[in-house]
Amino acid sequence: MFPRLASAAAALLALLALPAAITPALAADVAGRASVIDGDTLDIHGTRIRMFGIDAPESSQICADAKNRAWRCGRDATQLLDRLTSGRTVACEIVDRDRYGRVVGRCAVNGEDINRRMVSEGLAVAYVNYGRDYVPAEAEAKAAKRGLWSGRFVMPWDHRKGVKLNPPPGALAPATPERAPATPATGSGGHPKGCDIKGNISKDGRRLYHVPGSRSYERTRIDEGQGERWFCSEADARAAGWQKAGG
């Protein structure tokens, strides 16, 4: 009797383990209407998708145009992705998962690879550390001096480390049909106007963001040279892997 019970128990354990064994490590492909988080991040039905092989300027990032005037390249990248996806079904082939738990995908609208489109328009660059698929599109944009390549900019991965454009650009460029309405380049605190969320690194290394009105907001100081930064929205902060500070 006992051997029979042991055999039944072993069979039950094997059945319980079976779903985990056959479940793929990554979610199946995702499709639907997308919400744009920033120039290289989408949300489809609650699934956060980091677009594979590209890196777009951060939402708050400022670049210099051909006349060395400041322009909101990060906002323009976000707006371009919104125009490409608005009201359309976005289909993403999931190829990986990043360290923040987001799936990484190659996304298309009506069969067009929009990862490639962002790079070819010059509002994202090929993220060669993770793949060289979009290097030819970047070369095309660079040769044509489109978007970022029309002036000067800091690579997004360097911007996230606190690297600044040097020398800094001049006054904010006037609005064009392709760009956001002209507003002052910086707020009263020297950061991009409208980007008031403070991304602070605590003494124990945690990346926390503080929203205006929160308990620690006023006494929190941002040192961009140490990797701290400003965010334009909580969604931007969360997408970058920062957590909301308590209180």
Short mmCIF file of all heavy atoms in Angstrom, two decimals, residues 89-118:
data_model
loop_
_atom_site.label_atom_id
_atom_site.label_comp_id
_atom_site.label_asym_id
_atom_site.label_seq_id
_atom_site.Cartn_x
_atom_site.Cartn_y
_atom_site.Cartn_z
N THR A 89 -4.04 49.43 -34.29
CA THR A 89 -3.64 48.22 -33.59
C THR A 89 -2.14 48.05 -33.71
O THR A 89 -1.59 48.08 -34.81
CB THR A 89 -4.35 46.98 -34.17
OG1 THR A 89 -5.76 47.12 -33.96
CG2 THR A 89 -3.87 45.71 -33.49
N VAL A 90 -1.49 47.89 -32.58
CA VAL A 90 -0.05 47.69 -32.54
C VAL A 90 0.21 46.22 -32.19
O VAL A 90 -0.33 45.70 -31.21
CB VAL A 90 0.62 48.61 -31.49
CG1 VAL A 90 2.13 48.40 -31.49
CG2 VAL A 90 0.28 50.07 -31.77
N ALA A 91 1.01 45.55 -33.01
CA ALA A 91 1.34 44.15 -32.77
C ALA A 91 2.83 44.05 -32.43
O ALA A 91 3.67 44.51 -33.21
CB ALA A 91 1.03 43.31 -34.00
N CYS A 92 3.13 43.49 -31.28
CA CYS A 92 4.52 43.40 -30.83
C CYS A 92 4.95 41.94 -30.70
O CYS A 92 4.30 41.16 -30.01
CB CYS A 92 4.71 44.11 -29.48
SG CYS A 92 4.43 45.90 -29.56
N GLU A 93 6.04 41.62 -31.35
CA GLU A 93 6.67 40.31 -31.22
C GLU A 93 7.61 40.37 -30.02
O GLU A 93 8.58 41.14 -30.02
CB GLU A 93 7.45 39.97 -32.49
CG GLU A 93 8.26 38.69 -32.38
CD GLU A 93 9.27 38.56 -33.51
OE1 GLU A 93 9.34 39.46 -34.37
OE2 GLU A 93 10.00 37.56 -33.51
N ILE A 94 7.35 39.61 -29.00
CA ILE A 94 8.13 39.66 -27.78
C ILE A 94 9.42 38.85 -27.96
O ILE A 94 9.37 37.67 -28.29
CB ILE A 94 7.34 39.14 -26.58
CG1 ILE A 94 6.00 39.89 -26.47
CG2 ILE A 94 8.14 39.27 -25.29
CD1 ILE A 94 6.12 41.40 -26.42
N VAL A 95 10.56 39.51 -27.74
CA VAL A 95 11.84 38.84 -27.96
C VAL A 95 12.69 38.70 -26.70
O VAL A 95 13.67 37.96 -26.69
CB VAL A 95 12.66 39.58 -29.05
CG1 VAL A 95 11.92 39.56 -30.37
CG2 VAL A 95 12.98 41.00 -28.63
N ASP A 96 12.33 39.39 -25.61
CA ASP A 96 13.18 39.36 -24.43
C ASP A 96 12.42 39.97 -23.26
O ASP A 96 11.26 40.38 -23.40
CB ASP A 96 14.47 40.13 -24.69
CG ASP A 96 15.61 39.71 -23.78
OD1 ASP A 96 15.37 38.93 -22.83
OD2 ASP A 96 16.75 40.16 -24.01
N ARG A 97 13.08 40.05 -22.12
CA ARG A 97 12.56 40.75 -20.95
C ARG A 97 13.71 41.51 -20.31
O ARG A 97 14.82 40.98 -20.17
CB ARG A 97 11.95 39.76 -19.94
CG ARG A 97 11.18 40.43 -18.83
CD ARG A 97 10.61 39.39 -17.87
NE ARG A 97 9.63 38.53 -18.49
CZ ARG A 97 8.34 38.86 -18.59
NH1 ARG A 97 7.89 40.01 -18.13
NH2 ARG A 97 7.50 38.02 -19.16
N ASP A 98 13.48 42.80 -19.95
CA ASP A 98 14.58 43.59 -19.41
C ASP A 98 14.66 43.48 -17.89
O ASP A 98 13.86 42.80 -17.25
CB ASP A 98 14.50 45.05 -19.87
CG ASP A 98 13.37 45.84 -19.22
OD1 ASP A 98 12.73 45.35 -18.27
OD2 ASP A 98 13.11 46.99 -19.66
N ARG A 99 15.65 44.16 -17.31
CA ARG A 99 15.90 44.03 -15.87
C ARG A 99 14.81 44.65 -15.01
O ARG A 99 14.77 44.41 -13.81
CB ARG A 99 17.24 44.68 -15.52
CG ARG A 99 17.35 46.15 -15.91
CD ARG A 99 18.70 46.70 -15.53
NE ARG A 99 18.86 48.07 -16.01
CZ ARG A 99 19.87 48.86 -15.66
NH1 ARG A 99 20.79 48.40 -14.84
NH2 ARG A 99 19.94 50.08 -16.14
N TYR A 100 13.93 45.47 -15.62
CA TYR A 100 12.82 46.06 -14.89
C TYR A 100 11.56 45.20 -14.98
O TYR A 100 10.51 45.59 -14.47
CB TYR A 100 12.52 47.47 -15.41
CG TYR A 100 13.71 48.39 -15.35
CD1 TYR A 100 14.23 48.96 -16.51
CD2 TYR A 100 14.34 48.69 -14.15
CE1 TYR A 100 15.34 49.80 -16.47
CE2 TYR A 100 15.44 49.53 -14.09
CZ TYR A 100 15.93 50.08 -15.25
OH TYR A 100 17.03 50.91 -15.20
N GLY A 101 11.65 44.07 -15.65
CA GLY A 101 10.50 43.19 -15.78
C GLY A 101 9.64 43.46 -16.98
O GLY A 101 8.67 42.76 -17.23
N ARG A 102 9.99 44.50 -17.75
CA ARG A 102 9.22 44.80 -18.95
C ARG A 102 9.59 43.82 -20.06
O ARG A 102 10.75 43.42 -20.17
CB ARG A 102 9.51 46.22 -19.44
CG ARG A 102 9.16 47.31 -18.48
CD ARG A 102 9.66 48.66 -18.95
NE ARG A 102 11.12 48.68 -19.07
CZ ARG A 102 11.81 49.78 -19.35
NH1 ARG A 102 11.18 50.92 -19.60
NH2 ARG A 102 13.12 49.74 -19.42
N VAL A 103 8.60 43.46 -20.87
CA VAL A 103 8.93 42.66 -22.04
C VAL A 103 9.57 43.58 -23.08
O VAL A 103 9.32 44.79 -23.11
CB VAL A 103 7.69 41.95 -22.62
CG1 VAL A 103 7.14 40.93 -21.65
CG2 VAL A 103 6.61 42.96 -22.99
N VAL A 104 10.42 43.02 -23.91
CA VAL A 104 11.11 43.76 -24.96
C VAL A 104 10.58 43.23 -26.28
O VAL A 104 10.56 42.01 -26.50
CB VAL A 104 12.63 43.56 -24.86
CG1 VAL A 104 13.34 44.29 -26.00
CG2 VAL A 104 13.14 44.04 -23.51
N GLY A 105 10.10 44.13 -27.14
CA GLY A 105 9.44 43.65 -28.34
C GLY A 105 9.72 44.45 -29.59
O GLY A 105 10.10 45.63 -29.54
N ARG A 106 9.52 43.79 -30.70
CA ARG A 106 9.59 44.42 -32.02
C ARG A 106 8.16 44.70 -32.43
O ARG A 106 7.36 43.77 -32.58
CB ARG A 106 10.27 43.48 -33.02
CG ARG A 106 10.66 44.12 -34.34
CD ARG A 106 11.10 43.07 -35.33
NE ARG A 106 12.07 42.13 -34.80
CZ ARG A 106 13.39 42.33 -34.82
NH1 ARG A 106 13.87 43.44 -35.32
NH2 ARG A 106 14.20 41.41 -34.32
N CYS A 107 7.81 45.97 -32.59
CA CYS A 107 6.40 46.35 -32.76
C CYS A 107 6.13 46.86 -34.17
O CYS A 107 6.99 47.49 -34.81
CB CYS A 107 6.03 47.42 -31.74
SG CYS A 107 6.24 46.86 -30.02
N ALA A 108 4.90 46.60 -34.63
CA ALA A 108 4.52 46.99 -35.99
C ALA A 108 3.10 47.52 -36.01
O ALA A 108 2.25 47.14 -35.20
CB ALA A 108 4.66 45.80 -36.93
N VAL A 109 2.85 48.43 -36.95
CA VAL A 109 1.51 48.94 -37.23
C VAL A 109 1.26 48.73 -38.71
O VAL A 109 2.04 49.20 -39.56
CB VAL A 109 1.39 50.43 -36.87
CG1 VAL A 109 0.05 50.99 -37.34
CG2 VAL A 109 1.54 50.64 -35.37
N ASN A 110 0.21 47.99 -39.04
CA ASN A 110 -0.11 47.67 -40.44
C ASN A 110 1.10 47.08 -41.17
O ASN A 110 1.36 47.39 -42.34
CB ASN A 110 -0.61 48.92 -41.17
CG ASN A 110 -1.94 49.41 -40.64
OD1 ASN A 110 -2.76 48.63 -40.17
ND2 ASN A 110 -2.16 50.71 -40.69
N GLY A 111 1.87 46.27 -40.45
CA GLY A 111 3.01 45.60 -41.05
C GLY A 111 4.29 46.42 -41.07
O GLY A 111 5.35 45.89 -41.43
N GLU A 112 4.23 47.70 -40.68
CA GLU A 112 5.44 48.52 -40.66
C GLU A 112 6.14 48.41 -39.31
O GLU A 112 5.52 48.57 -38.26
CB GLU A 112 5.11 49.99 -40.92
CG GLU A 112 6.36 50.88 -40.90
CD GLU A 112 6.05 52.36 -41.02
OE1 GLU A 112 4.90 52.76 -40.77
OE2 GLU A 112 6.98 53.13 -41.35
N ASP A 113 7.42 48.14 -39.34
CA ASP A 113 8.24 48.04 -38.14
C ASP A 113 8.42 49.46 -37.57
O ASP A 113 9.18 50.26 -38.12
CB ASP A 113 9.59 47.42 -38.50
CG ASP A 113 10.49 47.19 -37.28
OD1 ASP A 113 10.30 47.86 -36.26
OD2 ASP A 113 11.39 46.34 -37.37
N ILE A 114 7.72 49.78 -36.48
CA ILE A 114 7.80 51.14 -35.96
C ILE A 114 9.06 51.37 -35.13
O ILE A 114 9.45 52.53 -34.92
CB ILE A 114 6.53 51.54 -35.17
CG1 ILE A 114 6.27 50.58 -34.00
CG2 ILE A 114 5.33 51.62 -36.10
CD1 ILE A 114 5.10 51.03 -33.12
N ASN A 115 9.70 50.30 -34.68
CA ASN A 115 11.03 50.46 -34.07
C ASN A 115 11.97 51.08 -35.12
O ASN A 115 12.67 52.06 -34.85
CB ASN A 115 11.60 49.12 -33.62
CG ASN A 115 10.74 48.40 -32.60
OD1 ASN A 115 9.52 48.40 -32.70
ND2 ASN A 115 11.38 47.76 -31.63
N ARG A 116 11.95 50.49 -36.30
CA ARG A 116 12.79 50.99 -37.39
C ARG A 116 12.38 52.41 -37.79
O ARG A 116 13.24 53.26 -38.06
CB ARG A 116 12.69 50.06 -38.60
CG ARG A 116 13.62 50.43 -39.74
CD ARG A 116 13.44 49.48 -40.93
NE ARG A 116 13.59 48.10 -40.52
CZ ARG A 116 14.76 47.49 -40.35
NH1 ARG A 116 15.88 48.15 -40.55
NH2 ARG A 116 14.80 46.22 -39.98
N ARG A 117 11.09 52.65 -37.82
CA ARG A 117 10.61 53.98 -38.23
C ARG A 117 11.11 55.07 -37.28
O ARG A 117 11.51 56.16 -37.72
CB ARG A 117 9.08 53.97 -38.28
CG ARG A 117 8.44 55.31 -38.64
CD ARG A 117 8.66 55.70 -40.08
NE ARG A 117 7.99 56.97 -40.37
CZ ARG A 117 6.70 57.08 -40.69
NH1 ARG A 117 5.94 55.98 -40.80
NH2 ARG A 117 6.16 58.25 -40.94
N MET A 118 11.11 54.80 -35.98
CA MET A 118 11.60 55.78 -35.01
C MET A 118 13.06 56.12 -35.27
O MET A 118 13.47 57.28 -35.19
CB MET A 118 11.43 55.25 -33.59
CG MET A 118 9.99 55.13 -33.11
SD MET A 118 9.13 56.71 -32.98
CE MET A 118 10.10 57.54 -31.71
#
